[in-house]
């Protein structure tokens, strides 16, 4: 069943809170579709009204690839209908969320896809995320992808194999998952784009949680650069995302190495800290602002359930 | 990718074997560097960054050349290199502020050179006073002639011991040309930051360290420098300054201004933050945590510093000289390990 995109604020990632202040001020009354946004609305858009955006298509393709490869290691989606698709009161913000838990015995914890579209005075913000988290039976990195597009000509890209261990203490872990896999080659492809500049999260914690090969960039094509961005998204970006997913599927998703008991405790604690510090930073700041307390409460609860994080 | 860093990389690969990531090796290599104040070098009136405004249009290197003795073919340290001045001032300030034993480095390690006379180095290694939290301070500088000019690498590394979990201090300047250099400046974390957000807050957020990084990165001549070593990237903090400053052709004066201005000021600030928040503390720690921290320190030392030394020094200074230096460094590390 084609579930349209996805939710809102990437629980683990720098999302909307990283956009300039005021970017999220929603008009009280329903705003008419602005020129650029309306031209992007196509019949093939996802949930009613969510306009098609190049990055969302790429995300959907990647998620589809991941689902196909993981097959029955993922249970079917169990997200209630009013969280699978949600909107704010005046329809200026739309979101969708899909969570599929890992099947018993698999190393997958869950796969979370989310998409958000939010009209703002000068256009719209579109955020699309894909997280594939592994459970405590393996110490392999999680897969993390988030696109935050604040205008038709620029977007923030976050793509990483999120480490589960203290890298400075475990150089062999760096070698296994980052050195030998040539993940850094993928990062360089984006780095070398003239339109790309490094994105530094305002949150030091987020910066610390990521790997040394994390793809963390703003791609800014400047005025009039709409089609250039679209080309980059469908071209270089799509290829890098696919490349990293392949690396992850090959090296991480299937990893069956034993996790030492003492190490496991530390790893579980670390996973929990990363999730709660990121979810907290991302979601609680933005969802309520965009969707009001009721809707955002429901969505946050569902995301927290997936991540296994208790209410603060 | 920064042109400066690529250029530097090219220069290094002409010195070391192709299989080596030499810029990476250049990254954390305190011991290969040479201190400015080496008494055996010719005395030349030195321009001090801190005490005089940077000379515009006048090149310190021409002053040096005019005074260099013609007798020897050997290279001598252009002692008026601006970045070396900055490092010298920093090392002096640090040494005055933390309890250190006098330098115990033998004369032929304090100053060393290769037989061809194309590379000169000095090393100052001072151990922390007993019962202090300082493990050692290492200040080194290297000057090495290469086909297109020279490479100058200067480092100051202040390592803390197991009495505290506060971050180490690291500063490294790698200058491959008169118009461009790589700058690394960081407080190296001793703990897994993702597992210890309170540590992150105490030493990095609360101290507003990131502001210093911003000040450097605001300069239009800077671009990010990513170490080729994934380990080095992982060992650094989220507020690390890691940039190439590239002033382009004809930019010698600009680079010198930046070094004596923005850079010197940022470096001083970071040192102050470190002195205030890190250097004087001892920390309560659970035994298990301390063990992990010690292991971590060992990994950082082993993977970054020692690998650099054992790989590069011999190539530049020959087996005898470098063997001696490496032994001296290892002694400093080794003693601390036992004492901890």
């Amino acid at each position: 069943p084609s579930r349209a995109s996805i939710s809102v604020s990437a629980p683990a990632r720098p999302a909307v809170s990283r956009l300039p202040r005021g970017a999220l001020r929603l008009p009280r009354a329903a705003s008419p579709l602005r020129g650029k946004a309306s031209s992007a609305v196509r019949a093939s858009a996802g949930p009613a009204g969510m306009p098609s955006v190049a990055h969302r298509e790429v995300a959907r393709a990647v998620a589809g690839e991941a689902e196909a490869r993981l097959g029955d290691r993922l249970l079917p989606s169990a997200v209630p209908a009013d969280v699978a698709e949600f909107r704010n009161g005046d329809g200026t913000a739309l979101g969708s969320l899909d969570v599929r838990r890992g099947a018993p015995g698999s190393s997958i914890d869950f796969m979370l896809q989310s998409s958000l579209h939010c009209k703002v005075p000068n256009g719209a913000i579109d955020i699309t995320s894909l997280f594939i988290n592994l459970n405590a039976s393996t110490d392999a990195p999680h897969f993390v992808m988030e696109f935050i597009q604040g205008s038709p000509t620029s977007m923030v890209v976050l793509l990483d194999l999120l480490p589960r261990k203290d890298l400075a203490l475990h150089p062999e872990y760096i070698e296994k998952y980052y050195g030998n896999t040539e993940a850094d080659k993928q990062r360089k492809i984006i780095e070398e784009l003239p339109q790309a500049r490094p994105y530094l999260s305002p949150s030091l914690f987020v910066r610390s949680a990521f790997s040394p090969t994390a793809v963390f960039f703003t791609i800014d094509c400047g005025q009039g650069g709409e089609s250039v961005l679209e080309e980059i998204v469908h071209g270089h970006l799509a290829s890098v995302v696919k490349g990293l997913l392949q690396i992850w599927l090959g090296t991480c998703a299937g990893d069956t190495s034993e996790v030492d008991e003492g190490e496991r405790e530390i790893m579980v604690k670390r996973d929990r800290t990363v999730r709660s510090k990121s979810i907290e930073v991302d979601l609680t700041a933005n969802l309520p602002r965009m969707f009001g307390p009721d809707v955002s409460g429901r969505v946050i609860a569902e995301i927290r359930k997936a991540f296994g994080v208790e209410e603060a | 990718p920064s042109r400066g860093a690529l250029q530097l990389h090219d220069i290094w690969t002409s010195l070391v074997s192709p299989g080596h990531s030499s810029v990476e090796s250049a990254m954390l290599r305190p011991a290969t560097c040479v201190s400015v104040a080496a008494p055996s070098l010719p005395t030349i009136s030195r321009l001090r960054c801190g005490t005089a405004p940077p000379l515009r249009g006048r090149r310190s290197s021409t002053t040096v050349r005019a005074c260099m003795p013609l007798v020897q073919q050997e290279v001598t340290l252009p002692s008026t290199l601006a970045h070396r001045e900055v490092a010298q001032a920093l090392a002096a300030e640090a040494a005055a502020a933390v309890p250190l034993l006098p330098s115990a480095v033998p004369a032929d390690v304090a100053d060393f050179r290769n037989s061809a006379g194309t590379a000169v180095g000095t090393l100052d290694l001072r151990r922390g006073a007993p019962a202090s939290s300082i493990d050692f301070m290492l200040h080194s500088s290297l000057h090495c002639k290469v086909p297109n000019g020279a490479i100058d690498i200067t480092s100051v590394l202040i390592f803390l011991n197991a009495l505290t979990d506060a971050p180490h201090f690291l500063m490294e300047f790698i200058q491959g040309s008169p118009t461009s250099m790589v700058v690394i400046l960081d407080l190296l974390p001793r703990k897994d930051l993702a597992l210890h957000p309170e540590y992150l807050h105490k030493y990095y957020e609360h101290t507003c360290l990131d502001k210093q990084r911003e000040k450097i990165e605001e300069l239009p001549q800077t671009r990010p420098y990513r170490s080729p070593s994934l380990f080095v990237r992982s060992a650094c903090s989220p507020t690390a300054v890691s940039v190439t400053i590239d002033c382009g052709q004809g930019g010698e004066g600009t680079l010198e201004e930046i070094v004596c201005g923005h850079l010197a000021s940022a470096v001083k600030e970071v040192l102050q933050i470190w002195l205030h928040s890190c250097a004087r503390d001892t920390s309560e720690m659970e035994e298990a945590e301390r063990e992990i921290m010690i292991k971590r320190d060992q990994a950082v030392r082993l993977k970054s510093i020692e690998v650099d030394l054992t790989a590069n020094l011999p190539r530049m200074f020959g087996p005898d000289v470098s063997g001696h230096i490496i032994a001296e460094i290892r002694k400093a590390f080794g003693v601390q390990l036992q004492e901890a």
Side-chain angles (χ1 to χ4, degrees):
Chain A
S2 60
R3 194 63 71 97
S5 9
I6 296 136
S7 83
V8 193
S9 351
R13 294 304 84 86
V16 176
S17 60
R18 307 296 163 241
L19 293 166
R21 303 222 174 265
L24 289 185
R25 260 182 303 110
L26 294 177
R28 290 285 160 201
S31 59
L33 291 178
R34 309 254 167 221
K36 289 261 152 49
S38 58
S39 66
V41 172
R42 289 202 293 230
S44 61
M50 200 177 286
S52 175
V53 165
H55 86 225
R56 227 189 322 268
E57 290 164 29
V58 169
R60 201 176 307 156
V62 170
E65 167 83 17
E67 283 178 316
R69 288 279 297 271
L70 294 173
D72 57 11
R73 295 171 62 187
L74 286 172
L75 299 175
S77 174
V79 167
D82 63 354
V83 168
E85 288 178 16
F86 51 94
R87 58 180 59 218
N88 70 349
D90 56 21
T92 50
L94 306 169
S96 71
L97 175 72
D98 187 16
V99 177
R100 296 182 61 179
R101 311 231 49 144
S106 91
S107 64
I108 313 285
D109 191 352
F110 63 86
M111 176 165 136
L112 186 152
Q113 303 175 59
S114 70
S115 202
L116 162 72
H117 172 79
C118 180
K119 289 198 212 339
V120 291
N122 293 337
I125 295 173
D126 288 277
I127 304 176
T128 306
S129 325
L130 173 64
F131 303 103
I132 315 178
N133 276 32
L134 299 172
N135 61 28
S137 69
T138 172
D139 66 8
H142 304 307
F143 180 88
V144 166
M145 180 191 88
E146 182 158 310
F147 302 141
I148 306 156
Q149 187 159 353
S151 85
T153 57
S154 104
M155 66 187 286
V156 172
V157 172
L158 167 54
L159 186 57
D160 196 24
L161 306 185
L162 201 72
R164 314 275 294 291
K165 281 187 137 167
D166 180 3
L167 297 180
L169 189 59
H170 298 282
E172 73 291 348
Y173 187 94
I174 300 179
E175 269 315 295
K176 178 175 182 182
Y177 293 112
Y178 303 99
N180 295 342
T181 60
E182 306 197 319
D184 208 41
K185 278 212 170 91
Q186 299 299 323
R187 185 192 61 80
K188 284 198 181 110
I189 292 173
I190 302 296
E191 183 184 60
E192 282 164 13
L193 291 171
Q195 299 87 351
R197 61 177 181 269
Y199 176 79
L200 217 51
S201 171
S203 159
L204 298 189
F205 183 86
V206 166
R207 290 184 212 172
S208 312
F210 282 87
S211 84
T213 61
V215 178
F216 218 151
F217 291 95
T218 301
I219 303 179
D220 189 351
C221 300
Q223 266 217 338
E226 288 88 339
S227 55
V228 176
L229 181 62
E230 204 162 313
E231 266 176 57
I232 290 174
V233 168
H234 281 303
H236 284 90
L237 183 60
S239 140
V240 164
V241 172
K242 284 194 189 102
L244 267 166
L245 179 68
Q246 290 313 312
I247 291 173
W248 184 81
L249 287 167
T251 320
C252 309
D255 180 72
T256 50
S257 47
E258 291 289 312
V259 181
D260 182 75
E261 197 45 52
E263 303 268 352
R264 178 175 297 135
E265 265 186 60
I266 294 178
M267 184 180 74
V268 166
K269 193 156 170 247
R270 200 178 188 282
D271 275 342
R272 205 176 289 141
T273 309
V274 171
R275 289 170 185 181
S276 69
K277 291 275 302 178
S278 315
I279 293 178
E280 179 183 295
V281 161
D282 264 11
L283 285 188
T284 52
N286 297 298
L287 270 181
R289 246 193 285 163
M290 304 177 73
F291 291 94
D294 293 332
V295 172
S296 59
R298 278 203 305 275
V299 176
I300 290 173
E302 200 63 35
I303 293 173
R304 282 213 162 110
K305 218 165 57 176
F307 277 80
V309 173
E310 277 99 44
E311 280 295 327
Chain B
S2 68
R3 196 163 300 170
L6 283 179
Q7 183 189 6
L8 180 61
H9 187 84
D10 288 343
I11 290 170
W12 274 112
T13 47
S14 74
L15 289 173
V16 302
S17 83
H20 232 73
S21 175
S22 45
V23 176
E24 148 186 21
S25 311
M27 262 285 313
L28 280 176
R29 38 180 321 168
T32 59
C33 303
V34 176
S35 87
V36 185
S40 61
L41 295 173
T43 34
I44 290 164
S45 67
R46 294 166 61 194
L47 304 160
R48 293 207 171 268
C49 278
T51 57
L55 299 177
R56 288 172 208 283
R58 234 176 87 192
R59 311 270 246 84
S60 46
S61 56
T62 53
T63 311
V64 170
R65 274 197 210 105
C67 303
M68 273 165 83
L70 298 171
V71 191
Q72 296 164 303
Q73 293 304 315
E74 279 183 357
V75 145
T76 45
L77 265 186
S79 54
T80 54
L81 186 64
H83 91 219
R84 231 192 316 271
E85 298 276 329
V86 170
Q88 182 65 20
L90 180 110
E93 191 172 345
V98 300
L100 292 171
L101 299 176
S103 180
V105 165
D108 60 354
V109 172
D111 280 279
F112 51 93
R113 56 192 65 213
N114 69 354
S115 47
T118 52
V120 184
T122 71
L123 172 70
D124 187 16
L125 186 54
R126 301 180 60 178
R127 304 207 180 107
S132 79
S133 63
I134 310 293
D135 190 345
F136 63 86
M137 178 169 120
L138 194 152
H139 173 203
S140 60
S141 201
L142 163 73
H143 173 79
C144 180
K145 253 180 142 50
V146 290
N148 292 337
I151 297 179
D152 288 276
I153 304 179
T154 306
S155 317
V156 176
L157 174 63
I158 314 176
F159 240 63
L160 298 173
N161 62 26
L163 287 180
T164 176
D165 66 6
H168 306 305
F169 178 90
L170 167 70
M171 182 187 83
E172 185 145 329
F173 300 143
I174 307 164
Q175 186 160 356
S177 84
T179 57
S180 103
M181 65 188 285
V182 170
V183 173
I184 315 292
L185 178 62
D186 196 23
L187 302 193
L188 296 177
R190 315 277 293 290
K191 283 188 142 171
D192 181 1
L193 297 179
L195 187 60
H196 297 283
E198 74 291 346
Y199 184 95
L200 178 66
H201 179 74
K202 177 177 182 183
Y203 292 112
Y204 298 96
E205 285 172 349
H206 185 66
T207 53
C208 300
L209 256 178
D210 210 39
K211 284 214 169 77
Q212 300 306 319
R213 182 198 55 78
E214 277 171 20
K215 278 199 219 148
I216 299 289
E217 289 190 6
E218 266 165 18
L219 293 170
Q221 297 87 351
T222 64
R223 54 179 177 263
Y225 172 76
R226 310 250 354 171
S227 170
S229 160
L230 299 186
F231 182 87
V232 166
R233 290 185 211 173
S234 309
C236 284
S237 84
T239 60
V241 174
S242 178
V243 295
T244 300
I245 306 179
D246 190 350
C247 300
Q249 265 215 339
E252 289 88 340
T254 310
L255 181 63
E256 199 167 306
E257 270 177 54
I258 290 175
V259 169
C260 294
H262 270 91
L263 183 60
S265 132
V267 157
K268 278 195 192 90
E269 275 299 315
V270 173
L271 179 69
Q272 284 311 310
I273 291 172
W274 184 80
L275 287 172
H276 182 76
S277 317
C278 308
R280 304 199 179 103
D281 250 353
T282 53
S283 329
E284 287 295 315
M285 255 182 283
E286 284 186 23
E287 206 40 53
E289 277 190 346
R290 193 185 307 264
E291 272 182 47
I292 292 179
M293 186 182 77
I294 290 173
K295 258 213 213 120
R296 208 172 184 282
D297 281 342
Q298 283 174 9
V300 170
R301 276 202 291 258
L302 189 67
K303 282 285 291 185
S304 33
I305 301 172
E306 286 199 27
V307 164
D308 288 344
L309 294 183
T310 54
N312 290 299
L313 270 182
R315 293 179 204 283
M316 305 183 65
F317 292 96
D320 292 333
V321 171
S322 56
H324 199 40
I325 296 164
I326 291 170
E328 196 62 29
I329 307 288
R330 283 218 167 106
K331 216 165 57 171
F333 293 167
V335 166
Q336 294 317 306
L337 283 177
Q338 284 157 34
E339 280 173 1

